[in-house]
Every structure is written in structure tokens, then in C-alpha cells.
Amino acid sequence: MSLRLSTVILPYRRWSEGGRAAWQRAEELGFHTAYTYDHLSWRTFRDGPWFGAVPTLTAAAAVTDRLRLGTLVTSPNFRHPVTLAKELISLDDISGGRVTLGIGAGGTGFDATVLGQEPWTPRERADRLAEFVPLLDRLLTEDSVSYEGDFYSAHEARNIPGCVQRPRLPFAVAATGPRGLRLAARYGQAWVTTGDPKLYENGTPEQSVQAIRGQAEKLADACAEIGRDTNELDKILLTGFTPDRGRPLESLDAFVDFAGRHRELGVTEIVIHWPIPDSDFAADEKVFEQIAMEAPAQLR
């Protein structure tokens, strides 16, 4: 099985000062998809420039032709299904059907409190995602939707003409817990993992591989519960959050070794961060481009 290679471009640069060039270069390098984070601010970037995901992806759609575009990931922390659906349908139209929605429960960072609310517990985040995803699925596939739930409501929400991609644009559901994995199995066209966060500081690459194997097995079980073949779902690994950290981007050989070990787990797409100097995502740009251009052929 060939392995797709994608990238994630953080929206920290002005469009006229390197933003546009990065997305165009991602297409030139042959990446399958270029994603961006859907946050209002993020970690060490909080006090610097940071732009919105949907406008950034819209601009990227206008200056590329083949590159798929997406979020890794959108969450209910500051999104509402009704308004998000309208934006996604518009983005899918502008891009000519090149959009993937990465979606997850969100975390406890700045997005969790920026609207003035207390951070939700893991259970509360899971509760909201469990309502958010099915409603968004309806909003993207039905012309008119009315719904009254515990957290979200829609009253005759119109979404005509719907997505270019039919029946809707694909969902890539980020999940490791049982409820999230069941959502991925039922609604996802892909599943996203970053590995086991508990292993990031003190775990080993071998332990991380075992953890991802266990996650994939639980996803397969969730699919089996509803009679779905787990092979119907793409399995996406967003790198940079496993104990390997930035080592896979130190050389072509290091990346091919890393990617090969994860392909054996059933991973079908690996996402690497576009290099950002003086950050956790710092990397040699020449090595990064070499990996983009040469690694896919070695991983077929």
C-alpha cells in the first residue's frame, strides 16, 4: 500500500509575507493535502501573528489547483455546526471540491476559554462532539435542517446547493477514546491520531508505535460494531507529538524509516509540519523539501 504524504501549514504569516508562497510551494512539492490548525491562537504562538483557518484555506484554494485542503482540527470549542456548515459548503465550492474537514473534541488551551466559558471537562467535550458531528453531517447533506439538542439547535437551516463533493465533503475524525472512535467509525472517511500524548515526554518510539497499534485495533472494533470495514477509513498520523518529535525530519532516511514503521500499522497518510524557525517545528527546509519530493516513491 502506498503512503500519502501531507503537510500542515500554521497560519502565522501574513499572506503577502510568505503565506501565499507556502501553499503554492506545497502544491509544487506534490503534497497530497495541506492542512492548517483551526484555532484562534495556539500555545507559543499566542502573542504573535495568527490568522483564521477558513479565510486562509479560501485564499489557498484561490492560488492552487490540485492540492487538497483541510483543517487539523476543527472543534466545538468556538464553532457552531450551523455557521460552520455554511462556511464549509462555500469553501468546498470555491476549491472545486478539494476540502477535508479534520474534526475533534478540542482541548483545554486558549480556544477553550476565549469566549468566556470555563474549560469543559473531557466528558463535556466528548458530549458536545457526539452532538456536533451528526448535526454537521445532516447540515452538509440536507437542504433544510431543524434540530433541538442539548448543546446545539438549528431552525430551518438552509444549505443549498450543498457540497461539491457528494454526499458531502469528507470528515477526518481525530479520536483515541471509545466515544470518539465510534464517531469516526460511523461518520468518518478518515481517522486522525497524534499518538498517545502521555508518551510525549518520557515514552519511547517503540512504545508509541504500540500505542498507535492499540488505537487502530480499537477503531477496527468500533467499525465492526456497526458492520463497517475499517479499511474504508484512511488512517492519518499528524506527526510532531510522538516521542520521535522532530527526528523524522532530520534526514530522508530517518523519515522513510519512521513512515515505514507506521505504514505497517495501517497508517495511510502522514502529515508533517511546514518548518517554522525557532519553534517546536523547526527543521531544515532543504531536507523537508527532499522528503516531500523523494519519500513517497520510496514508500510505495
Side-chain angles (χ1 to χ4, degrees):
M1 178 189 301
S2 61
L3 188 69
R4 293 194 294 267
L5 182 58
S6 297
T7 190
V8 57
I9 302 172
L10 299 195
Y12 73 101
R13 287 180 289 196
R14 289 190 182 277
W15 194 246
S16 61
E17 298 173 2
R20 174 204 296 260
W23 293 88
Q24 291 176 318
R25 184 61 177 155
E27 181 165 82
E28 291 170 357
L29 290 170
F31 282 110
H32 176 264
T33 304
Y35 300 95
T36 198
Y37 287 2
D38 190 13
H39 292 292
L40 297 178
S41 59
W42 191 74
R43 296 190 184 179
T44 58
F45 296 86
R46 184 186 188 188
D47 294 320
W50 190 270
F51 297 95
V54 173
T56 296
L57 291 170
T58 303
V63 298
T64 58
D65 297 308
R66 305 176 306 280
L67 184 69
R68 286 197 64 82
L69 307 164
T71 58
L72 278 183
V73 295
T74 293
S75 82
N77 270 346
F78 63 92
R79 294 290 189 183
H80 190 287
V82 170
T83 52
L84 178 62
K86 184 67 71 174
E87 291 186 351
L88 291 172
I89 287 171
S90 303
L91 178 57
D92 198 49
D93 180 70
I94 292 166
S95 69
R98 291 186 283 135
V99 177
T100 295
L101 178 73
I103 189 167
T108 57
F110 309 122
D111 292 347
T113 58
V114 71
L115 298 182
Q117 76 269 32
E118 291 297 315
W120 299 325
T121 66
R123 183 187 185 94
E124 288 172 327
R125 294 198 302 271
D127 288 343
R128 281 168 170 78
L129 188 68
E131 190 171 303
F132 194 106
V133 172
L135 176 54
L136 187 61
D137 174 70
R138 288 189 60 196
L139 289 162
L140 293 174
T141 54
E142 300 176 21
D143 288 348
S144 178
V145 174
S146 292
Y147 172 83
E148 190 69 37
D150 293 329
F151 307 106
Y152 304 105
S153 300
H155 178 65
E156 297 182 359
R158 298 293 201 276
N159 284 301
I160 301 168
C163 295
V164 173
Q165 300 175 88
R166 293 293 182 173
R168 59 158 165 77
L169 55 80
F171 290 177
V173 181
T176 56
R179 295 177 68 189
L181 289 169
R182 286 196 293 271
L183 282 175
R186 184 169 296 279
Y187 294 99
Q189 284 64 57
W191 165 67
V192 182
T193 183
T194 57
D196 184 343
K198 296 191 294 292
L199 297 173
Y200 180 72
E201 292 292 343
N202 300 307
T204 66
E206 292 73 22
Q207 289 174 319
S208 178
V209 166
Q210 290 301 320
I212 294 171
R213 177 178 285 112
Q215 293 171 356
E217 290 171 351
K218 291 176 182 177
L219 175 67
D221 291 341
C223 287
E225 288 178 6
I226 60 171
R228 187 176 185 189
D229 184 352
T230 187
N231 292 321
E232 293 179 8
L233 278 77
D234 286 324
K235 284 81 174 177
I236 302 172
L237 172 62
L238 174 60
T239 64
F241 304 100
T242 66
D244 308 87
R245 303 196 183 190
R247 287 190 291 275
L249 296 185
E250 290 179 354
S251 71
L252 175 62
D253 288 345
F255 178 79
V256 170
D257 177 69
F258 172 86
R261 283 186 280 119
H262 288 85
R263 180 177 61 180
E264 292 174 359
L265 305 178
V267 170
T268 59
E269 181 178 342
I270 288 184
V271 185
I272 57 178
H273 287 82
W274 199 270
I276 303 175
D278 303 316
S279 77
D280 290 342
F281 305 122
D284 186 308
E285 290 192 14
K286 290 183 179 178
V287 174
F288 174 83
E289 292 203 352
Q290 182 187 24
I291 288 168
M293 292 185 290
E294 298 182 26
Q298 296 190 33
L299 292 164
R300 285 178 185 153

